[in-house]
Amino acid sequence: MILELQNVSYRYRAGALALDDVSLAVGEGASVGLVGESGSGKSTIVKLMLALAKPSSGSVLFEGAPIAPAVMRRFRGAVQTVFQDPYSSLDPRQSIESIVAEPLRSLGIARGSEARSMVAESCAAVGLPADALGRFPHEFSGGQRQRIAIARATVCHPRLLLADEPLSALDVTTRIQVIDLLAELRASAGLAILMVSHDLSAIAALCDETVVLNAGRVVEHGTTATILSTPSQDYTRRLVAAVPRLPHP
Amino acid sequence: MTLLSVQNLGVQTPAGRALVADLSFDLAAGQRLGLIGESGSGKSVTSLAVTGLLGSGLVASGSVLLDGVQVVGASERRLVPLRGRVASVVFQEPLTALDPLMRIGRQLAEPITRHRGLRGSALHAAVADALDEVSLDEARISRAYPHEISGGQRQRAAIAIALASRPQLLIADEPTTALDVTVQAQVLRLLDDLIDARGMALLFISHDLAVVSAMTPDVIVMSSGVAVERGSIERVLSKPQHPYTAELVRSARALDDMLGQR
């Protein structure tokens, strides 16, 4: 297992339990979808999995062991993230080249011409035009910004990508392209993906496994195909039924 | 007279880049029209141009007649009487559309006072009715600040505020994009019912073909600021003519197919 939550509970200060006894594991090359309403704890799980917060109880394991300061750099290199909002997740004052190079700089992976060529390769892999490198975030549309965020997350060749609603700010054609891009990164680089989404079609397209969260608890966990076709929980059934569908041709 | 008549609308940035070019459409009272396109297609800029809300430096050209009044180049003084009375807008993100420092009840009372001249207990009753209409609990929501309620409740409140002035035209710019799917389904049904009940016209802006197809019989497909195709939603879905529309429909179908058959 790359990353694992074991009986994790989490409480924000004096608030109610945001997560209640959640166990969840992502193995090498796996693809897990995390589904649930706002407030169900999806983003809290991502926060804990990124070691940006510590669980109130239970443990977060990286390669089977707690994430000690000594392994932090390796952890950051192995587990990267893409956020929902490509408008706030990119520094408006940095060029695209500098933004994408950030993990290489901060993790001490590469610099100079080696870093430049890794950045160029990563940007090309996500389909950004070659002239993008010298430009700034405000010159790009939402879909392209999300590509920039994915280029940044994958520039250091991580093993696991935690993507928190990476598609919900995107248009449908772009969404398909980003799904294809993530699927391609999965196939070519063996990248494992944990994707948080309320968009079931995106989960269906990308994730073999689905975990359904409700009020901080895992209410259903199984293969995506089973959960879509024969959901066992009421909440899952409502979720599947609420997805807007196209009229039949 | 047509409620909204847009002729050869263009919107340019200060640098001279065209965000919208040569866009024309008419919307009669009670009619519904969808504007669909990707980010950067000019659909939101169009909605801002129609209501005279274009941001700094953006310049509109052509003609936008809203209830017979020319919006392009109009002074703020000419525009104010149109807003609310003729057209209201529901924006994508209710957290930025609502005033964070004002209780929902007061935000809702403002347009009611302004447009319907109500005061005192009549105003209080109208606020309660308006919240009830969007299925919000008056006692709780009226006293709440925007950050104290959920995203779906905020968007319902924003809809109530937009409708409070009894507009003839509602412009809904991605009104459910920020919401969970279960909440989206509820809010769409609510909008559909309210628009029907009041006989309002609707300009519905979205990137989501499935959502648009549930709301409007006709659509204009925009790409790079240009209307590339228009027609009934059925025709556009079954026989898209423009390559961009074909791509859009193909993508939407692909996502839909991933969910399997109904």
Side-chain angles (χ1 to χ4, degrees):
Chain A
M1 287 299 155
I2 304 175
L3 197 55
E4 206 171 338
L5 297 185
Q6 277 183 348
N7 308 103
V8 160
S9 295
Y10 188 78
R11 190 187 295 278
Y12 285 94
R13 290 186 179 269
L17 274 185
L19 293 178
D20 187 0
D21 196 23
V22 170
S23 295
L24 177 67
V26 188
E28 214 70 57
S31 56
V32 181
L34 205 51
V35 184
E37 285 182 294
S38 1
S40 62
K42 310 185 295 285
S43 295
T44 305
I45 287 186
V46 171
K47 215 179 212 177
L48 293 173
M49 287 188 131
L50 285 169
L52 296 174
K54 285 189 164 44
S56 307
S57 67
S59 39
V60 182
L61 305 178
F62 171 56
E63 297 172 336
I67 307 166
V71 300
M72 194 48 106
R73 189 166 278 207
R74 203 159 55 78
F75 171 73
R76 292 270 178 249
V79 179
Q80 281 284 323
T81 187
V82 175
F83 295 101
Q84 171 171 4
D85 183 3
Y87 289 84
S88 59
S89 66
L90 304 178
D91 184 342
R93 294 166 304 176
Q94 288 189 38
S95 70
I96 304 311
E97 177 160 39
S98 168
I99 288 172
V100 174
E102 163 66 25
L104 301 178
R105 266 199 311 276
S106 63
L107 299 170
I109 292 171
R111 51 198 310 176
S113 64
E114 191 193 355
R116 270 197 298 280
S117 80
M118 286 175 84
V119 166
E121 190 189 318
S122 188
C123 287
V126 301
L128 285 169
D131 71 348
L133 293 179
R135 290 157 68 190
F136 288 83
H138 72 268
E139 299 174 60
F140 294 88
S141 65
Q144 296 226 298
R145 286 177 197 225
Q146 207 56 312
R147 285 172 192 274
I148 295 165
I150 294 171
R152 172 177 59 188
T154 52
V155 71
C156 57
H157 303 295
R159 289 154 61 201
L160 169 61
L161 188 66
L162 298 178
D164 192 352
E165 300 273 12
L167 307 165
S168 48
L170 307 181
D171 296 309
V172 58
T173 52
T174 330
R175 197 173 296 187
I176 290 276
Q177 291 161 10
V178 175
I179 286 175
D180 287 348
L181 169 64
L182 290 172
E184 200 183 300
L185 290 170
R186 254 196 87 194
S188 65
L191 184 67
I193 292 181
L194 179 123
M195 182 165 77
V196 170
S197 184
H198 57 251
D199 180 359
L200 281 172
S201 56
I203 298 268
L206 211 57
C207 303
D208 300 334
E209 248 178 277
T210 296
V211 176
V212 184
L213 274 181
N214 191 15
R217 287 174 162 273
V218 173
V219 292
E220 194 159 354
H221 185 179
T223 67
T224 305
T226 311
I227 283 183
L228 281 179
S229 59
T230 47
S232 71
Q233 295 298 310
D234 233 23
Y235 171 65
T236 319
R237 268 193 290 275
R238 264 191 295 136
L239 194 70
V240 173
V243 178
R245 302 293 300 262
L246 286 173
H248 275 296
Chain B
M1 182 176 53
T2 321
L3 183 57
L4 171 63
S5 179
V6 176
Q7 295 301 322
N8 312 107
L9 175 68
V11 178
Q12 287 202 325
T13 64
R17 198 161 71 88
L19 300 179
V20 175
D22 203 21
L23 177 67
S24 300
F25 64 88
D26 285 325
L27 199 59
Q31 202 187 342
R32 294 183 178 199
L33 177 67
L35 277 187
I36 187 153
E38 303 206 282
S39 29
S41 64
K43 55 195 194 308
S44 288
V45 171
T46 299
S47 78
L48 295 175
V50 162
T51 41
L53 291 170
L54 282 176
S56 57
L58 296 185
V59 181
S61 59
S63 160
V64 173
L65 289 175
L66 191 54
D67 199 27
V69 177
Q70 181 58 256
V71 172
V72 174
S75 66
E76 189 67 12
R77 201 169 52 83
R78 296 269 290 162
L79 292 173
V80 167
L82 296 175
R83 296 192 188 126
R85 187 180 62 80
V86 180
S88 285
V89 190
V90 175
F91 294 99
Q92 173 170 352
E93 181 42 79
L95 202 52
T96 51
L98 297 172
D99 186 331
L101 299 177
M102 208 192 275
R103 295 182 200 274
I104 299 293
R106 249 191 84 202
Q107 300 195 43
L108 189 46
E110 225 168 56
I112 295 177
T113 306
R114 189 185 180 97
H115 291 274
R116 285 150 59 193
L118 300 180
R119 300 259 186 285
S121 62
L123 175 62
H124 190 83
V127 168
D129 285 349
L131 286 172
D132 187 55
E133 213 171 26
V134 294
S135 311
L136 287 176
D137 174 27
E138 193 265 326
R140 195 171 93 69
I141 304 296
S142 188
R143 297 196 49 76
Y145 289 99
H147 76 270
E148 296 175 319
I149 60 180
S150 73
Q153 289 171 330
R154 273 181 220 130
Q155 197 59 302
R156 283 167 197 271
I159 290 170
I161 292 168
L163 297 186
S165 50
R166 304 259 183 265
Q168 301 168 58
L169 165 66
L170 184 71
I171 299 171
D173 188 355
E174 304 267 11
T176 58
T177 308
L179 306 177
D180 275 340
V181 267
T182 50
V183 183
Q184 164 169 274
Q186 295 160 6
V187 171
L188 288 176
R189 209 172 311 125
L190 175 77
L191 267 178
D192 193 35
D193 290 348
L194 287 172
I195 288 160
D196 251 0
R198 300 220 189 152
M200 275 185 290
L202 173 69
L203 184 63
F204 191 89
I205 295 164
S206 178
H207 65 273
D208 190 330
L209 265 176
V211 168
V212 173
S213 68
M215 294 300 289
T216 68
D218 297 299
V219 289
I220 292 179
V221 182
M222 292 186 71
S223 175
S224 307
V226 178
V228 293
E229 185 155 358
R230 62 183 75 204
S232 77
I233 187 86
E234 284 107 54
R235 206 273 299 152
V236 167
L237 283 175
S238 59
K239 294 189 195 68
Q241 321 240 286
H242 192 275
Y244 171 69
T245 316
E247 169 70 20
L248 192 69
V249 172
R250 202 167 35 245
S251 303
R253 282 258 176 255
L255 281 171
D256 198 61
D257 289 346
M258 286 162 191
L259 289 167
Q261 297 304 311
R262 261 172 297 189

